[in-house]
Amino acid sequence: MTRNRLLASLCGALLALSASGCNADTGSGDSATPEPAPPSTEQPQVPSTPETTPPETTTPETTPPETTPPETTPPETTPPETTPPETTPPETTPPETTPPVIVTPEPTPDPTPSPAKVDRFGVTMLYPTKSGGETWALSDNPTSDPRFDPQNTITRNADGSWKMKSNQVRMGVTTSTGYSAAKIPTYDRDVLASRGYMQSPNDWKNVEMTGFVKLNATSDTTDNFDWYARGGKHNDKNSGCEGSSYKAGLHYDGRARWQKETWHVSYEQAPYKPATSALKGRWVGFKAVMRNTTVNGKEAVRLEMYVNENADKVTWKKVDDRVDAGDWGGDAQHCGGSTGPMPITWGGPIATFRWDSASDADFKWLSVREIQP
């Protein structure tokens, strides 16, 4: 293109010369000075076009935009692909669901009778022993046990059981604190109910009493074995007010019933319940359970009675279950109570295994345990 322009400029010059020649012919010699002017007008034209070419250099500037696509390559956004690994931690959440599986053992600590637990004799405990609570069990040498008072002579049988030959039996068991009438400051029923015990805070109150007996001879088949607690000694002292108790009675003819002794001697008797066949000549297990409960926001007492008819230590049958909510007889006013039928909600220092009219009876596996109410 530059050559063409040069040629064009040369041709223009020649034409100018030829024109000047023509002008010379006309005699205007001073006009020769403008001859150099035309070339000067062509000079600005020459750079004008090449100066427009630099805009053509802008095209290489468009090439950098081609570098932007490589910037799109960083969308090697494989890092977003790292997000799936972040989904893998959520897979750790399922293991967090496994602990709920551990919740299943929670049903095992059941406050209801649990056949999996037994006492020192292998006898099933219907209620678990209170943690740190009072317990007692017949020892191998009960005549040397300061907490056990059979009040009569007992002898060991060949099978390890013990024999009692007396028509009136009261075998008392104290707590670890022992018994002392001098430590009982009052027998006022309202005071005893408010503080919860007669002699000491660890008096027998919520208890499960167990014993196995065999009736060998009796003068009265309607009499009974009695397991009772929630008082002290039963005598005429202090107007008999130390002699409060609930008594679970298993009669020799197979009947059973609960008795409420508000004081000694003042009884309220529940109806008889059929429990088992006649007792004479066979071993039978017998349990009395008494524990405080709540009825209509007030303290009450639940009373349960069980028998183990085949003496296998395991098969316990409930034969009576009742609640004393302050509507079951009694004349507690005799001992300072504000209402006559108030329940015996307090504990006492002595629990007793009792029977009458049996001239020959064997016993074994006696125990008293404090249970959770």
Side-chain angles (χ1 to χ4, degrees):
M1 294 180 65
T2 54
R3 286 182 180 180
N4 291 335
R5 290 171 182 165
L6 290 172
L7 289 174
S9 62
L10 289 174
C11 290
L14 291 175
L15 289 175
L17 289 173
S18 60
S20 64
C22 295
N23 292 334
D25 290 339
T26 57
S28 57
D30 294 334
S31 61
T33 54
E35 291 176 4
S40 63
T41 59
E42 294 175 358
Q43 277 181 331
Q45 293 175 357
V46 175
S48 63
T49 53
E51 287 176 1
T52 57
T53 58
E56 295 175 2
T57 60
T58 57
T59 54
E61 292 176 3
T62 58
T63 56
E66 297 174 4
T67 60
T68 56
E71 292 176 1
T72 59
T73 57
E76 294 170 0
T77 56
T78 53
E81 298 175 0
T82 59
T83 55
E86 292 177 358
T87 59
T88 56
E91 297 175 2
T92 60
T93 55
E96 293 176 358
T97 59
T98 55
V101 178
I102 301 171
V103 175
T104 53
E106 290 182 1
T108 54
D110 197 329
T112 57
S114 173
K117 297 181 180 180
V118 297
D119 64 17
R120 57 164 293 187
F121 304 114
V123 177
T124 297
M125 299 188 299
L126 301 184
Y127 291 91
T129 303
K130 180 182 178 181
S131 178
E134 287 287 327
T135 61
W136 173 88
L138 188 68
S139 69
D140 293 335
N141 188 10
T143 57
S144 299
D145 183 354
R147 294 176 58 185
F148 179 61
D149 182 11
Q151 300 187 41
N152 291 294
T153 301
I154 59 173
T155 57
R156 189 188 295 271
N157 295 319
D159 63 359
S161 64
W162 293 86
K163 183 175 290 295
M164 171 71 80
K165 288 189 174 184
S166 174
N167 289 314
Q168 189 177 64
V169 176
R170 308 288 187 272
M171 299 193 299
V173 177
T174 67
T175 65
S176 58
T177 302
Y179 166 77
S180 173
K183 294 180 180 179
I184 303 175
T186 181
Y187 297 105
D188 185 288
R189 296 310 192 227
D190 292 338
V191 176
L192 298 184
S194 65
R195 71 179 186 177
Y197 61 90
M198 181 176 285
Q199 176 186 300
S200 305
N202 61 333
D203 280 354
W204 296 120
K205 181 167 63 176
N206 300 303
V207 295
E208 180 176 324
M209 297 181 65
T210 306
F212 284 72
V213 287
K214 186 175 72 167
L215 177 67
N216 300 314
T218 181
S219 59
D220 184 357
T221 57
T222 65
D223 221 322
N224 62 286
F225 294 104
D226 264 337
W227 300 171
Y228 61 88
R230 299 208 172 192
K233 288 191 174 180
H234 289 235
N235 53 39
D236 295 332
K237 294 179 180 180
N238 301 297
S239 300
C241 291
E242 190 176 315
S244 57
S245 67
Y246 286 111
K247 291 183 173 177
L250 179 63
H251 288 251
Y252 305 149
D253 58 11
R255 296 175 299 164
R257 71 175 176 183
W258 276 98
Q259 298 181 93
K260 176 182 180 180
E261 188 176 14
T262 304
W263 52 274
H264 184 77
V265 178
S266 175
Y267 281 96
E268 290 296 327
Q269 297 169 330
Y272 283 110
K273 296 290 185 70
T276 184
S277 57
L279 305 185
K280 188 176 179 180
R282 65 188 181 98
W283 283 101
V284 61
F286 179 36
K287 280 183 182 285
V289 176
M290 53 194 82
R291 54 193 178 95
N292 283 9
T293 186
T294 302
V295 176
N296 297 325
K298 295 182 179 180
E299 199 166 28
V301 183
R302 178 173 289 279
L303 305 167
E304 303 168 28
M305 199 185 312
Y306 300 81
V307 295
N308 179 202
E309 297 180 89
N310 60 4
D312 65 356
K313 305 182 183 181
V314 177
T315 313
W316 292 95
K317 179 179 72 173
K318 182 185 288 187
V319 296
D320 202 350
D321 184 352
R322 65 183 56 253
V323 174
D324 181 5
D327 52 1
W328 183 25
D331 56 346
Q333 297 98 326
H334 176 78
C335 300
S338 55
T339 60
M342 65 185 296
I344 305 170
T345 57
W346 55 90
I350 303 175
T352 303
F353 298 90
R354 162 192 164 158
W355 58 87
D356 288 329
S357 306
S359 57
D360 188 340
D362 298 328
F363 64 92
K364 60 182 177 180
W365 304 334
L366 305 184
S367 68
V368 186
R369 296 182 299 105
E370 185 179 2
I371 60 174
Q372 200 68 39

